[in-house]
Structures are given as structure tokens and as C-alpha cells.
Amino acid sequence: MPSQTIQTSAVRGTPDPTSSSRAVPPARIDLGEIDDLRVLDENGEVNEALDPGLPDDELLRVYRAMVLTRKFDIRMLNMQRQGEMGTFAPGFGQEATQIGQVYPLAQRDWYSPSYRSFGAQIWRGWPMDQLFLLWDGFFEGFAPPPDVNDLPFSIVIGSHVPLAVGIAMGIRKKGVEDAVVVCNFGDGASSQGIVSESMNFAAVFKAPCVFVVENNGWAISTKLEQQSGVTELARRGPAFGVPSVRVDGNDILGMIAASTRAVEHARAGHGPYLIEAVTYRMGVHTTADDPKVYRSDDEVRAWEGKCPIRRMERHLTERGLLDAETIETIGTACEQEVLAARESFRKRAIARPEEIFDFVYEELPPELAAQRDEYLRRLGRA
Amino acid sequence: MAQMTMVEALNRALNESMTADDRVCVMGQDIAVNGGVFRVTKGLLDRFGADRVFDTPLAEDGIVGTAVGMAIYGLRPVAEIQFSGFTMQAFDQIEQNMARMRNRSRGKYPISMVMRTPYGGGIRAVEHHSESREAYWAHTPGLKVVIPSGPRNARALLNAAILDPDPVVFYEPKAVYRAFREDVPDEMETLPIGTARIAREGADLTLIAYGAVMRPTLEAAEDLADLHQVDVEVIDLLSIKPMDTETIVNSVTKTGRCVIVHEGPRTCGIAAEIIARLNEHAFEYLLAPIRRVTGFDTHFPYFQVERHYLPDSETIAEAVRETLAWE
């Protein structure tokens, strides 16, 4: 992306005839240069110079992960519509962004997801039955699996970002391992003060933290132009001293190229990196949302042709790694995996009221112990 | 045994805890080179180095949020917020993450950290430098709230707070920082969080206070003994949450009368909670309504009139005499 200048918009309202303001030309702002990255275009054509060069089995693995993410998403939506699942935030259309951002991470690395990141969580090792439990309101859904260095997501937008930076500061200050942290948030979160604070902290302390701002165009009903004075969110990075790249978020190879570059940078001790993944929320914000109120069908249709999964399918078919039959086989296998997880979820879906008190403190203080005992007595469980 | 101010005693605790456990690190605004605006962290940078003692950008929410992240990574951060009035900037991270991460992660990420901050009035400061908002933090599930009253217990409680497996809001009464010296033993000392101290034994009435107002409270108790032959028991709460209900209830069961003193605003303040607990556990022993001597439900005033806002020994003594006279 070339260096850009923008003009400040004209002062709104009725011009004051006595004011000389109309004679003052608007100030110019130099937004600098940002790298724009795309490897796989909408027709499945690869830019060889930027191709991260994944071996065939890896290409199929990331393709399958995207398919699994979508199958999980669709199944959860069906379950929600049938009353078997709580309100959740689908990620339909953002599969490449999700898988690509965690692709280069090793087990010792950390990931701080936001609530639409379940594809990345599955990749990182969160069992799908547990994610069903999470979205259906069970405490145990939130516990990160023992061997997965991930945070449970925070619902308050952007509030998890300083935690990722703090972990990265800890890694750097303790200095015993070269782990990195990837932190995901959205275009809406970019407006939160704590997100700016966090990027600044990361830059000051050279924390090995990769920020992935998943720009899907909409924060519920607020479009990006209403969200941010600068709509290329990657441009915020350099102002904090954080190198940045803007990548086509529906291009899995571009995402992998970007996240690999960012993770290597952080791991080498050079500090944080910002990736803006430009994508689109094809579906609802959450199952409680109706996007028809605020956006047109035409806009959504325009993005249908940019589907990250179809794009990769075309590319892999051209490379001779997929055909109609294998696409069908992979789809069916993923669907079976999701259905097996649903069965496991149904068996595990038992709420225990005692859990309300389990992890508020390491040990229950006397007042809280009394509240628990009284409650359990009333339940007949004491 | 050395005679120390509270500032020196807190500094000793930080030195002790950092020596005992290399996971302990100290962070905040102006705490490293400058040693903190009240000099509580003086000398730590030289002794423990820049990886364990570091200045942060001027962003309270960022300080608490990154400290929580460091605790997730297994460090034991002690984060200083320069004045408690500025902790409102960090309400987000205190409530969303510091208090909740143990619960949200179902025990995988306990947050063993301390947020230290000077609180309270009486130092002729500008706006936002004199607040007592301990009730906010006591209302938040997952937090512990500790307020020492003198050098020796400040040192012992800070050591205990750093060792504690849960996040602790540590309120330091800045009016006491250099107000007096006290013997502080040479050997490492801790005090159990959740335990109050009987500061003065007595039979006629129970006076409950904590932090900076312990001084006027004890002064009132002595004056009442000297001038009116009244024998007041004084409880120094020390730990706001968890609260030592047992010590309070035992005392009031014995005396039948109670006056509670704090600096913060009255409505929904700590005294209200104490009264509720006495109502639950000692109702039949009460001989008079429980009185509160507290700050007004106003913003903390500008300093020319702050002494009219802060509870003093005369007001406390008057409340005690009225409570004793109630039939």
C-alpha cells in the first residue's frame, strides 16, 4: 500500500459568514507506507514470489481446518436455532483469518482469542465438545486444555489485549524461552483505549506479541467508516512503533505468510507486530442479531465470491491435490467429526451448581463458604 | 529491631519478598529510577535490576492489564498505581481480568498479584488524590482488600499479600506514610489476610476502624478512658475482604454497643457491611443502634476544608458517648 495523504473533512454545519475558517485550507496528513499482502487471489491464482511454500500435506491440513471450522460453525448455528445452544458469534467467511493467524505457533507459544476465534481455538487444540459446552453456558467450557497455552476469551471487547502483552512482557523479562503471543481482536476493539495502551506497552517493552486485528467491516451494526478515522487499521501500528502489514484475510496463504513473518520477527526479539486481516463477517454478529437492519444484501453478495474456502479449493484442485471426490470426502469427514463432538457434548452437558463457588478464590473465605453451604442446603446437596 | 516509618517498612517488605522469590517484580509509574513519588520503591532498581523493577507508560489500565498477563505467565507482579484516585482508569482491567481470570480459566490461571496504591486524605492534595474507594473493590468478587494502619502491620501484610494466591488490592494510608515510627522486627514477618487485630481491649463499646482513621480512633478511645472513665474496645480491621466477622461479632457480643469509623463515603460503605453482619450474627446482643462516623456522601473536598470531611477524634468520641447514653 503506497504512502497516502488524507484531507481533513470540512467543518460540518452552517458556515459562519463572519468566520475566516473557509479560507484556511485543510491540513494534510501523511499516513506513511503499509505493506499490502495477498498470495492467493480470488480466482485461486498464486503470486509465486510471496508464496510461503507449504508442502502438499500442510496445504491439505489448513484446507481441512477451514472446512472443519465452517462445519462446526454451521452445526452450532443449527443447534442454536433448535434451542440446543446459547447465543454465539458465528465466524462464517473468516476461516482463513482464523487458521492463518495461529498457523506458525508452536505449543510453547500463547494465543489470546476473541469470541469469534473458535476456528483458531480448534487448531490450537481446544476440543470441539468443550467449545459447545462453552457456548451453551457451562463453566468447564472455558477452562483452557491443560497442554494448551491459551487464554479463555474475554467478552468485554478489547479487554484481553493487555493480558497478551503482559504474557509477552513476562516472556521477555524472564528471558528463559523464545515463546511468542498472538492476540486477536476486531475492528470494533481497535477503538478501545486499552487496545492502544496495549500496543504502546508492547512497543516500549519490545514484547513478543503479534496483534491480529480481524477487520470484518462491521462491529454489530457499526461500519468501519463510523468506527475509525483511518480505515486501514494497519496504519495504526507505525504510530506506536509497531511494524504492520495489511493482508487479504480471505487468503489463507497470505495470512500464513503474514503471521509467519510477524511471529519470526517477535521470536527474534524485535518486539511486537500488527497484522490487519481484511475480511468480512458473512453472517450475523451473534445469533441475536439481524444484519438486514443495517446492511444490504448486495454488499454481502459481493463478498460471496471471495470465500476463503472456495478460493483454496480452486488452488488445490489446480495443483492436483483436490478433486470433486476428495472435497466431498473431506467435507463428510469433518461433518462426522463435528457430529461426534456434539454427541460428546450432549453427554457432558450436566450443570453442577456447586461450580459457582469453585474458582472465585483459591480457598473459600468464611463468608463465601457460608453462602455456599446455605445454598447447597437449600438444594439438598450438602 | 528498627524504628521505621510506614514508607520504610513497605520498602523493607518489597525487598524481602523480592529476595525470597525471583518471580516477584515491581512495576508502575515513576517507581524505578525515581523510587516512587512517595519513595516506597526506593533502591529496588539498583538491587534487583530493570527486568524486575520497571517504569511503565502512564496508563493505569495498561499497568493492571499487563500485570495480570504477567501473573498468567507465572510471575508475581506488584503493580503500583500512583494514587488510588487514578485506579478508576484501571477499573476495566481490575474488574474484567484481575478479579475474574482464576474463575474464567477454571483455576488454570490464578492471579497472584498485588495492586498497591496510596489512598485517603489529609495531605493537602489536589483533586483525585484523596479518595477512599475500598468499598468498590470489596464489592468485586475475586479480590481481596487489605489496609494496614501502621509500619509494622503494613510490612507484614504486604509480604502476606505478595505471597497470597489471589489478587490483592493493597491500600496504603498515605497520611500515615511518614506520620510516626514503630519498631519493626528484623526477621521476615507476615500477618494472615482476613484477620483483624484488637488494638485496644475494653468492655463498654466496640470501636471499629482501619487505615488512616485508626489514629483518631485510638486517640478518642484514650481520651474517653482518661476523661470519662469509658472503657472502649478498638478493632483494627486490617483486612476489608475477607472480613474477620468472628472477631467483630465476639467483641460486640461482649460490649453490646458499636461505632464504626471510616474515611470513605457513608452510603454502601464498609460500615454498612459490618452493620449487616452484626445484624445477622449479634442482633440479640445489641443494646443500642450502631453508629457510623464516616466521610460524607460528597466528593472529597478541596484541601482547605478537608479536615471537616475527615473523621476526627472529637467526632468519634461524641458518637461513642451518644451510643453509650442510648437506652
Side-chain angles (χ1 to χ4, degrees), chain A residues 139 142 144-146 148 150 153-154 156 159 162-163 166-167 170-171 173 177 194 197 205 355 359 361-362 367, chain B residues 50-51 54-55 59 61-62 65-66 68-70 73 93 97 101-104 106-109 142-143 166 241 277:
Chain A
F139 274 121
F142 267 85
V148 177
D150 288 8
F153 61 72
S154 309
V156 175
S159 67
L163 308 184
I167 293 168
I171 291 167
K173 290 195 168 291
E177 58 174 355
I194 190 62
E197 288 184 31
F205 292 106
E355 287 180 315
F359 293 109
Y361 295 96
E362 173 135 318
E367 170 64 25
Chain B
D51 279 338
F54 52 93
D55 288 324
D61 208 21
T66 54
V68 174
M70 292 172 74
Y73 189 62
Q93 288 302 315
N97 290 319
M101 185 50 78
R102 174 193 288 280
N103 186 62
R104 188 184 300 132
R106 308 313 286 160
K108 185 170 184 186
Y109 304 127
L143 298 180
D166 290 303
K241 189 184 192 181
R277 293 190 187 200

Side-chain angles (χ1 to χ4, degrees), chain A residues 184-205:
Chain A
N184 171 268
F185 55 91
D187 44 298
S190 73
S191 293
Q192 290 279 17
I194 190 62
V195 172
S196 290
E197 288 184 31
S198 300
M199 295 204 357
N200 184 46
F201 269 65
V204 167
F205 292 106

Side-chain angles (χ1 to χ4, degrees), chain B residues 9-18 154-155 158-159 162:
Chain B
L10 289 165
N11 183 269
R12 168 173 285 194
L14 290 169
N15 270 288
E16 287 168 337
S17 287
M18 294 190 79
R155 179 263 196 131
L158 183 54
N159 276 327
I162 294 169

Side-chain angles (χ1 to χ4, degrees), chain B residues 46-298:
Chain B
D46 287 344
R47 186 159 170 202
F48 298 103
D51 279 338
R52 294 182 64 197
V53 182
F54 52 93
D55 288 324
T56 63
L58 202 163
E60 286 80 6
D61 208 21
I63 292 171
V64 174
T66 54
V68 174
M70 292 172 74
I72 291 169
Y73 189 62
L75 296 169
R76 293 188 164 227
V78 181
E80 176 178 306
I81 301 296
Q82 209 159 68
F83 287 86
S84 74
F86 310 163
T87 56
M88 300 308 128
Q89 296 286 91
F91 215 122
D92 159 50
Q93 288 302 315
I94 298 169
E95 165 70 35
Q96 319 300 359
N97 290 319
M98 180 174 160
R100 288 174 185 251
M101 185 50 78
R102 174 193 288 280
N103 186 62
R104 188 184 300 132
S105 69
R106 308 313 286 160
K108 185 170 184 186
Y109 304 127
I111 305 303
S112 182
M113 66 170 277
V114 179
M115 182 183 79
R116 293 179 40 242
T117 188
Y119 88 96
I123 63 155
R124 300 173 61 81
V126 293
E127 194 180 4
H128 298 294
H129 286 65
S130 304
E131 280 66 24
S132 299
R133 292 289 187 269
E134 61 276 17
Y136 285 156
W137 316 124
H139 193 69
T140 302
L143 298 180
K144 294 179 178 175
V145 184
V146 171
I147 307 185
S149 59
R152 184 172 176 175
N153 61 43
R155 179 263 196 131
L157 284 166
L158 183 54
N159 276 327
I162 294 169
L163 287 169
D164 200 273
D166 290 303
V168 179
V169 173
F170 195 86
Y171 256 34
E172 296 169 4
K174 62 172 126 27
V176 183
Y177 264 161
R178 297 173 197 282
F180 61 95
R181 289 178 179 272
E182 198 173 63
D183 281 337
V184 175
D186 293 334
E187 63 277 12
M188 169 98 160
E189 217 177 26
T190 64
L191 272 174
I193 291 174
T195 304
R197 171 180 78 105
I198 308 278
R200 185 187 193 283
E201 288 197 33
D204 298 337
L205 179 143
T206 303
L207 251 178
I208 303 172
Y210 53 87
V213 292
M214 276 309 295
R215 294 184 76 207
T217 301
L218 282 167
E219 211 177 290
E222 294 310 321
D223 288 350
L224 287 159
D226 291 347
L227 304 173
H228 302 277
Q229 292 74 50
V230 171
D231 185 22
V232 169
E233 180 144 298
V234 179
I235 295 177
D236 181 357
L237 215 48
L238 296 176
S239 177
I240 307 302
K241 189 184 192 181
M243 191 183 281
D244 186 354
T245 313
E246 196 182 339
T247 296
I248 296 167
V249 168
N250 287 346
S251 176
V252 175
T253 301
K254 178 176 76 177
T255 63
R257 296 172 203 264
C258 181
V259 173
I260 306 162
V261 187
H262 61 63
E263 238 181 278
R266 181 169 301 175
T267 297
C268 296
I270 301 305
E273 176 62 28
I274 296 171
I275 292 168
R277 293 190 187 200
L278 288 169
N279 196 44
E280 287 164 3
H281 301 289
F283 182 71
E284 64 270 37
Y285 298 94
L286 287 174
L287 303 171
I290 300 168
R291 283 282 298 269
R292 292 181 279 181
V293 181
T294 68
F296 304 120
D297 286 348
T298 65

